[in-house]
Amino acid sequence: METNNQSIKRSGILNEFFWWCAGVNRDILRQCPTDYAKYAGAGGTIFFTAVMAVISSSYAIYFVFEDQLVSLAFGLIWGALIFNLDRYMVNTMYSDGLPTISWGEIRSGLPRIIMAIFLGIVISTPLEMKIFEDRINSQLVHDNIERTNRSRQKAQEGNASLIQRRDILEKEQKEIKNRLAKANKELKEEGEGSALSGKVGHGPIYKDKEMNRDAIQKELSDWNAAHELELKSIKEQIESNSKTTNEDIAKGSKENGFCVRYEAFANVKAENTSLQVVSLVIMLLFIIIETAPTFFKMMISSGPYDDMLRAEMHRVKIISDKEISDLNDEVNTLVQISVAKNQAKLEAELAANKDVMEKVALAQAELLQTAINRWREEELKKIEADPSAYIKTSNKS
């Protein structure tokens, strides 16, 4: 559309920015003051939806990386993605220009509505968690305690067989050591004369008790050789498992990531119906905000801007069609010229070939005539030489 852009005044900075967010043709819209607020509202909705997406995603990512700069950077990227999607969806939707929503508009906008609902849920969830942060923190303490108890119980169950085997081996070892200690005591008392025999010295009874002590000592040595390494390994394994369990329990008791917080949030909602209702209302609010630009596009009635935009689109289409037509004409002309050149060349070649063929035919006729004349002369000579013989030869032929 040919307009004098110098005579069209720019609107306020806020309007210009929101128009850009809405994806409109600002040069045309500046000529339609009655449509200023309409498209500024659409752009504002798209912009603030993206802002909420930045806040929501930054909050969620913070519990993953625990870094403010990383969270903010990811939030800005996510917000830019949401902004671009909303802007694209609004500007590529079909609208019949009436304030009512038709079935055609619903069918056309259904994929965009589904996407907008999904985005609304994604954006609302982290913000819901921020709103209910105090209840989530309380529930998180309770959940961490339960996880700690489950981990401890699981560790105990895993060590049960090891502990049972350790106790058996320690009991066997202790029983042999006790018998050895008792044998040493009896042997000492026998040597000092404080035993029942009352005799000091190493007599027959002393030697019997010494043999008994040596047998028990050998039994202990044999047991150690067979089971001491096993007992040591079991004790080390139990200690290692306990250490790992304690580390996991200590770590689990301080878990504060996004997943455990969302689990705590789900537990809070499951235990409280009123919180479920509030959470649902917040989610629906964000879904409405996210789908608002889409339904706004369906309900918006045509105004001066839309008329001028359609006129501009029609003008551009006509120019495009004309350029395509001119290009087709130019190509057709070139084709016709090429065909004419080829036709002339063909005709010239045909004419040249015809002339050659005529000359060949004439030459062949001359040669044939010459051959006939020579044959006639030879035949005349034969007749002159011997007419009778020539006649007989001709009759035989």
Side-chain angles (χ1 to χ4, degrees):
M1 179 175 293
E2 297 181 359
T3 58
N4 186 3
N5 291 331
Q6 294 180 352
S7 63
I8 302 173
K9 294 183 179 180
R10 292 173 62 88
S11 182
I13 295 177
L14 196 60
N15 270 346
E16 293 282 342
F17 175 70
F18 286 153
W19 292 346
W20 175 78
C21 293
V24 300
N25 188 319
R26 288 177 289 172
D27 290 336
I28 296 177
L29 185 56
R30 291 188 189 108
Q31 305 171 57
C32 310
T34 56
D35 285 342
Y36 281 10
K38 182 166 57 177
Y39 289 99
T45 304
I46 294 173
F47 171 74
F48 288 112
T49 301
V51 171
M52 297 303 290
V54 171
I55 298 172
S56 173
S57 59
S58 297
Y59 175 77
I61 293 300
Y62 178 76
F63 288 100
V64 178
F65 297 102
E66 296 184 352
D67 188 298
Q68 293 182 355
L69 291 178
V70 173
S71 302
L72 181 60
F74 184 89
L76 291 174
I77 294 173
W78 179 253
L81 174 64
I82 299 300
F83 174 81
N84 186 64
L85 280 175
D86 285 344
R87 195 168 184 259
Y88 171 78
M89 287 191 295
V90 169
N91 283 280
T92 56
M93 278 190 58
Y94 161 75
S95 176
D96 57 11
L98 300 176
T100 56
I101 299 178
S102 65
W103 284 111
E105 290 175 319
I106 292 291
R107 286 193 297 270
S108 175
L110 187 59
R112 295 169 176 82
I113 294 172
I114 293 174
M115 288 178 61
I117 292 174
F118 177 75
L119 291 175
I121 295 173
V122 171
I123 293 172
S124 67
T125 300
L127 292 178
E128 289 179 56
M129 294 173 62
K130 182 62 178 177
I131 293 172
F132 299 113
E133 186 174 17
D134 54 341
R135 294 297 303 273
I136 291 174
N137 290 336
S138 300
Q139 183 67 34
L140 192 59
V141 173
H142 179 266
D143 291 349
N144 284 339
I145 292 174
E146 287 190 350
R147 272 191 292 271
T148 299
N149 292 334
R150 287 196 298 268
S151 298
R152 185 176 286 109
Q153 182 179 0
K154 185 177 180 181
Q156 290 175 351
E157 292 174 355
N159 283 336
S161 59
L162 294 175
I163 293 173
Q164 184 179 5
R165 179 60 178 167
R166 181 200 64 185
D167 292 343
I168 292 173
L169 293 176
E170 286 182 343
K171 183 179 179 181
E172 291 178 357
Q173 187 184 45
K174 184 178 180 180
E175 189 270 334
I176 297 174
K177 285 182 177 180
N178 288 339
R179 286 194 291 113
L180 180 61
K182 183 179 179 182
N184 283 326
K185 181 181 178 182
E186 290 177 354
L187 183 62
K188 181 180 179 182
E189 290 175 350
E190 183 65 30
E192 294 174 348
S194 58
L196 292 176
S197 64
K199 296 180 180 181
V200 179
H202 296 177
I205 297 176
Y206 180 88
K207 291 187 179 298
D208 289 342
K209 291 185 177 182
E210 186 178 27
M211 290 176 62
N212 180 56
R213 191 277 312 269
D214 292 343
I216 297 174
Q217 182 69 52
K218 184 177 183 305
E219 182 183 354
L220 179 61
S221 298
D222 292 343
W223 189 95
N224 287 335
H227 301 292
E228 191 172 21
L229 290 178
E230 180 186 0
L231 179 60
K232 182 180 179 181
S233 175
I234 289 174
K235 288 180 177 179
E236 290 176 351
Q237 189 172 355
I238 292 174
E239 183 180 357
S240 175
N241 291 344
S242 300
K243 182 179 179 181
T244 303
T245 301
N246 292 333
E247 290 176 353
D248 293 340
I249 290 173
K251 182 179 178 181
S253 63
K254 298 179 182 179
E255 285 188 356
N256 192 36
F258 184 79
C259 289
V260 295
R261 293 184 70 84
Y262 184 79
E263 182 181 355
F265 181 43
N267 293 335
V268 168
K269 290 194 295 182
E271 297 173 0
N272 194 317
T273 306
S274 61
L275 288 182
Q276 292 180 14
V277 175
V278 175
S279 174
L280 179 61
V281 170
I282 294 173
M283 183 178 66
L284 291 176
L285 175 62
F286 277 94
I287 290 175
I288 291 172
I289 293 173
E290 183 62 34
T291 55
T294 304
F295 287 108
F296 177 87
K297 181 71 174 181
M298 293 181 184
M299 295 184 296
I300 192 171
S301 57
S302 295
Y305 168 76
D306 301 282
D307 296 335
M308 294 181 68
L309 185 63
R310 280 193 292 269
E312 176 67 10
M313 293 172 62
H314 184 65
R315 184 185 72 84
V316 172
K317 185 176 184 304
I318 290 175
I319 293 175
S320 176
D321 291 342
K322 182 178 181 303
E323 290 180 353
I324 293 173
S325 178
D326 293 343
L327 181 61
N328 288 335
D329 291 342
E330 183 178 350
V331 172
N332 290 333
T333 301
L334 293 175
V335 170
Q336 290 176 1
I337 292 173
S338 177
V339 170
K341 288 181 178 179
N342 291 333
Q343 184 67 28
K345 183 178 180 181
L346 179 62
E347 291 177 354
E349 291 179 353
L350 290 175
N353 290 338
K354 183 179 179 181
D355 184 55
V356 170
M357 293 301 294
E358 289 177 353
K359 290 180 178 179
V360 169
L362 181 61
Q364 288 177 343
E366 291 177 354
L367 292 174
L368 183 59
Q369 186 63 44
T370 301
I372 292 172
N373 293 334
R374 295 289 298 272
W375 174 79
R376 181 173 177 278
E377 290 176 357
E378 290 178 359
E379 292 299 315
L380 289 172
K381 289 180 179 180
K382 291 179 181 179
I383 292 172
E384 290 175 358
D386 190 355
S388 301
Y390 182 82
I391 294 172
K392 290 179 181 180
T393 304
S394 297
N395 290 332
K396 289 179 180 181
S397 302

